[in-house]
Amino acid sequence: MTTRPPDSLALATTEPPDGRSPEQPGLRAGLKNRHLSMIAIGGVIGAGLFVGSASGIAAAGPAILVSYVLVGALVVFVMRMLGEMAAANPTSGSFSAYADRALGRWAGFSIGWLYWFFWVVVLAVEATAGAVILESWVPAVPQWAWALIVMVVLTATNLASVGSFGEFEFWFAGIKVVAISGFILLGVLAIFGVLPGSDHAATGFGNLTEHGGFLPHGPGAILTGILLVVFSFMGSEIVTLAAGESADARRAVAKATRSVIWRVGIFYVGSILVVVSLLPWNDPAIEKKGSYVAALDTIGIPHAGEIMNFIVLTAVLSCLNSGLYTASRMAFSLGQRGDAPQSFVRTNTRGVPQAAILASVAFGFVAVAFNYLWPDTVFQFLLNSSGAVALFVWLVICFSQLRMRGIILRESPEKLVVKMWLFPYLTWATIGMILFVLLYMLTDGSEGGGRSQVLLSVLVAVLVIAVSLVRERIRAKDAETAGAPR
C-alpha cells in the first residue's frame, strides 16, 4: 500500500487560522453558524418527503408511520456514527476521508467517487423536476430552458463563494422548515376540530385504525414502505461536509448530530402522522394530488396545490444547491488525497474549488441532456446504477466508525466529544439493518425497482473498486521502482 498524505487524514490538532477552513489553506471558512444550523435542519427535508410519501401511504396504509420510524432510527444511528468521526476531524471529505484512514485508500476512493456520481445524477433529476413546475407557471419558456436556467443560476451561486451557497441554502431550508412546521400545526388543530374557519370534522386519530385497521395490507407492507421512503432521507450527512468550511466546525457537527432525533421525529414522522390522521389512507386524493396537498385541501386551505408546488420547488432548488456543493467538495477532497485530478484542489481568490464545481455541473448538464433525449434507456440506467449508493455510504460510515473509534482514542482521546451509543453493539446492529434493506430490495423485481437498483449499483461499485485497486497496484510498483538501488 502507498502512504497517504500525512496532513490530509491525520486528526486535526490545531485550530483553524482566521478565514480558513480547518483542513488546508485553499477552502475558506465562509459558512456561519446560522448557515450550518439551517443546513442541518433542512438537510433531512428533501423533495422526496413532499412528493414521494403518497406512494408509501398507498402501499402500507397508516403503518407507513412504522416504516418512517424504522428508517428514521437508522438515519439517527448513522448520523451519530458520522458525527463522532466528524467532530473529531471536520473535513470536506467527510466519510470518504474517514474510510480512507480506517479501511484503506481503496475504500475512500471508491465511496468518494460513488457519492460524487450519486449527486451529479441527482442534479439532473432535480433540475428536471424544478423545470416541470416552472414551465407550468410560465409555459412560454420551454422545460429544457428552465432546467438550463436553474442549473446556471445555482452554478453561479456556488462559484461566487461558499458564503453565497450558505446564504441561499439558509433561505431555501428556512422556507421548508417554516412550511412543514406550519403544516403540522394546522393539521393538529384540524385533527382536534379547533382550526378557525375550517369545516373539517374533528377525527382525533380515528383514521389510523379505521378503514381496514392500522395494518390494512399486513405487517409485510412495513418493509415495502421502508423501500419507498428510505431514499428520501439522503442528505442528512451534508452538514458534516459543510462543517469543513466553518470557523467552529467541531461545535457545529456536535450540535447537528445531537439534534437529528427531533428533526427526523418532527419533520418526517410528525408530518406523516398528520396526513394519515386527517384523512383516510385510501382516499384517492392522496395519490391523485399528493399527500400534503390532499391534507391541505381537506381542511379547507385555499390554493393548496399552488402553495405546495412553491414549497416543492424550494425543496428542489435546495437539493440542487446542496447537491452541487456536496459533489464539488467531494471531488475537492478526492483531489486533495491524490484520487482525482489536481486541478480539483486549486481554489480561486474566493476560496472556491472552481474546477471541481465546473466538472460536477458539466456531468450534471450531460445527465439532464440524457433525461430529455433517452429518458427510458441511458438516463434510467444512471438512475438505477446510483439508486443504492445511499445505503452503500451508510454501510461505509458504519465500518469506518468501528475502526476510527480506536484511532481517535489512541491519537486524540480529548476529541471524542460525540460518542456512538452502545458501541460497538449498536453499530453492528445498524450494519445488519442496512444489509437487510439491501437484501429485501432484491425481492422487488418490478421495472426500475429495488432489484435492478441494487444489482446495477453493485456493478458500478465493483468497477470503481477495481479501478482503485489497479491504481494502488500501479502506485506500489512505482514506489518500489523509485526506491530500488541503481
Side-chain angles (χ1 to χ4, degrees):
M1 296 292 289
T2 59
T3 57
R4 55 178 63 84
D7 58 341
S8 64
L9 293 175
L11 294 175
T13 57
T14 58
E15 294 301 315
D18 292 341
R20 300 292 182 183
S21 79
E23 50 183 334
Q24 74 291 312
L27 298 178
R28 292 186 177 178
L31 292 177
K32 301 175 182 177
N33 285 337
R34 65 182 178 88
H35 293 154
L36 282 176
S37 296
M38 196 57 74
I39 290 171
I41 295 172
V44 297
I45 310 174
L49 173 62
F50 298 109
V51 300
S53 54
S55 57
I57 293 172
I64 193 65
L65 287 167
V66 180
S67 303
Y68 273 102
V69 168
L70 292 174
V71 178
L74 187 62
V75 172
V76 168
F77 297 153
V78 170
M79 279 298 296
R80 187 75 182 185
M81 287 181 261
L82 183 56
E84 176 179 300
M85 298 183 287
N89 182 28
T91 171
S92 62
S94 188
F95 51 84
S96 174
Y98 309 140
D100 193 307
R101 181 83 192 279
L103 307 176
R105 293 198 65 169
W106 68 271
F109 175 96
S110 302
I111 203 63
W113 278 114
L114 285 172
Y115 192 67
W116 179 87
F117 173 61
F118 170 84
W119 278 110
V120 292
V121 173
V122 167
L123 291 181
V125 175
E126 301 297 342
T128 304
V132 170
I133 296 174
L134 289 167
E135 186 189 31
S136 69
W137 292 346
V138 187
V141 179
Q143 191 180 116
W144 67 265
W146 277 123
L148 179 65
I149 291 169
V150 166
M151 292 280 278
V152 168
V153 169
L154 292 180
T155 300
T157 299
N158 275 265
L159 286 172
S161 69
V162 69
S164 63
F165 154 75
E167 201 62 33
F168 267 73
E169 195 57 28
F170 175 83
W171 291 106
F172 286 152
I175 291 172
K176 291 189 294 184
V177 170
V178 170
I180 203 74
S181 300
F183 172 81
I184 292 172
L185 176 60
L186 292 175
V188 169
L189 292 176
I191 288 169
F192 292 102
V194 293
L195 180 65
S198 173
D199 57 358
H200 184 270
T203 58
F205 296 104
N207 282 323
L208 296 179
T209 54
E210 298 171 1
H211 315 288
F214 185 75
L215 292 163
H217 298 308
I222 294 174
L223 298 177
T224 303
I226 287 176
L227 299 188
L228 293 171
V229 306
V230 65
F231 298 106
S232 65
F233 284 83
M234 192 63 173
S236 55
E237 72 288 337
I238 291 175
V239 67
T240 63
L241 283 85
E245 292 177 82
S246 69
D248 194 1
R250 199 162 286 118
R251 180 172 174 269
V253 168
K255 182 180 178 182
T257 302
R258 290 172 180 139
S259 65
V260 71
I261 296 176
W262 68 260
R263 287 186 277 128
V264 169
I266 292 176
F267 298 130
Y268 275 87
V269 179
S271 64
I272 296 300
L273 175 61
V274 167
V275 171
V276 294
S277 299
L278 277 174
L279 66 170
W281 67 269
N282 54 359
D283 190 317
I286 293 180
E287 283 201 272
K288 182 179 179 181
K289 301 178 180 179
S291 51
Y292 289 82
V293 173
L296 290 174
D297 276 343
T298 198
I299 59 178
I301 302 297
H303 309 294
E306 290 81 358
I307 293 172
M308 193 52 59
N309 270 341
F310 172 75
I311 295 169
V312 170
L313 178 63
T314 302
V316 164
L317 295 178
S318 172
C319 189
L320 263 172
N321 191 42
S322 57
L324 180 53
Y325 170 85
T326 303
S328 65
R329 290 331 187 256
M330 185 57 73
F332 173 89
S333 178
L334 288 165
Q336 188 188 9
R337 288 175 272 145
D339 292 332
Q342 283 301 297
S343 60
F344 288 0
V345 184
R346 290 195 289 271
T347 57
N348 59 21
T349 56
R350 297 178 297 278
V352 172
Q354 186 168 300
I357 292 174
L358 293 176
S360 300
V361 79
F363 193 96
F365 274 122
V366 171
V368 169
F370 287 157
N371 195 12
Y372 285 106
L373 297 174
W374 302 288
D376 299 324
T377 52
V378 178
F379 189 69
Q380 190 62 42
F381 171 81
L382 291 178
L383 278 180
N384 289 339
S385 59
S386 64
V389 168
L391 294 170
F392 295 167
V393 168
W394 292 351
L395 267 181
V396 167
I397 290 172
C398 294
F399 282 112
S400 298
Q401 190 261 341
L402 285 172
R403 297 286 302 276
M404 283 299 295
R405 169 66 73 91
I407 295 173
I408 296 170
L409 286 174
R410 184 170 63 250
E411 297 182 0
S412 304
E414 73 280 0
K415 291 180 179 173
L416 196 62
V417 294
V418 176
K419 293 183 180 181
M420 176 59 181
W421 308 293
L422 299 176
F423 177 83
Y425 309 108
L426 195 50
T427 300
W428 281 111
T430 305
I431 291 171
M433 292 169 65
I434 297 170
L435 290 175
F436 176 80
V437 173
L438 284 169
L439 290 173
Y440 191 75
M441 287 178 70
L442 292 174
T443 65
D444 179 13
S446 60
E447 185 177 355
R451 182 182 302 165
S452 60
Q453 289 184 32
V454 171
L455 294 178
L456 287 175
S457 296
V458 167
L459 174 62
V460 172
V462 168
L463 291 174
V464 174
I465 292 172
V467 170
S468 70
L469 293 176
V470 170
R471 290 177 77 255
E472 284 299 290
R473 179 73 62 87
I474 294 172
R475 283 178 173 178
K477 287 184 177 180
D478 290 344
E480 290 176 4
T481 302
R486 298 188 180 185

